[in-house]
Amino acid sequence: MTVEVNIPARPERVWELVSDISTSPRFSPELQRTEWLEGATGPMIGAHFAGHNARPDGRRWQTVSRITEYAPLHRFAWAVLPDVATAPGDAFAHWHYELRPDGAGTVLVHGMRLGNLRTPVHAFVEAHPEQEEAVVDARLASLRNGIEAVLGGVAAHATRD
């Protein structure tokens, strides 16, 4: 799933926001805060950060993410993992930002795809197969809502200056 937005701001300004792991929690309805792990202080391939998440139903959880791509002004991607020892390639999900210059502005793409590791959604669907379509549709809608909220926040913040 990917969503894109045209932002009337230079790619350098947009990149400054999306490559800062503290930006998404300011706008996301689910991701509440992030923090660097294992002595990392900024983004680079292989660096890990924690994501602290919460949903309106009261469910809370923490993930670990490993940066898998870091190409300044172009692409920032990470894999969501159960812990830092997770093998390369394994993930619950893969997230990314991609930037494309567009005249005096920037096209910002934010997206995710599911990984190969099992999530709580898998277990729920296995226990309640009759609810599979509704559960998957609801989760995808929630993810899309979060992506759109983050893109809207980044766009508003990037054009404020």
Side-chain angles (χ1 to χ4, degrees), residues 1-8 14 17-18 23-29 78 95-99 106-112 143-159:
M1 157 185 338
T2 59
V3 179
E4 70 178 54
V5 64
N6 291 309
I7 302 174
V14 176
L17 293 167
V18 301
T23 297
S24 289
R26 294 193 308 223
F27 310 115
S28 172
W78 61 98
W95 288 83
H96 71 275
Y97 286 109
E98 187 174 306
L99 286 73
T106 306
V107 174
L108 176 60
V109 178
H110 188 21
M112 66 82 61
L143 289 168
R144 178 173 291 281
N145 179 56
I147 289 170
E148 290 172 349
V150 169
L151 286 175
V154 168
H157 197 75
T159 57

Side-chain angles (χ1 to χ4, degrees), residues 121 125 131-141:
V121 172
V125 166
Q131 296 180 39
E132 178 177 8
E133 187 174 346
V135 168
V136 171
D137 287 351
R139 185 63 181 135
L140 290 174

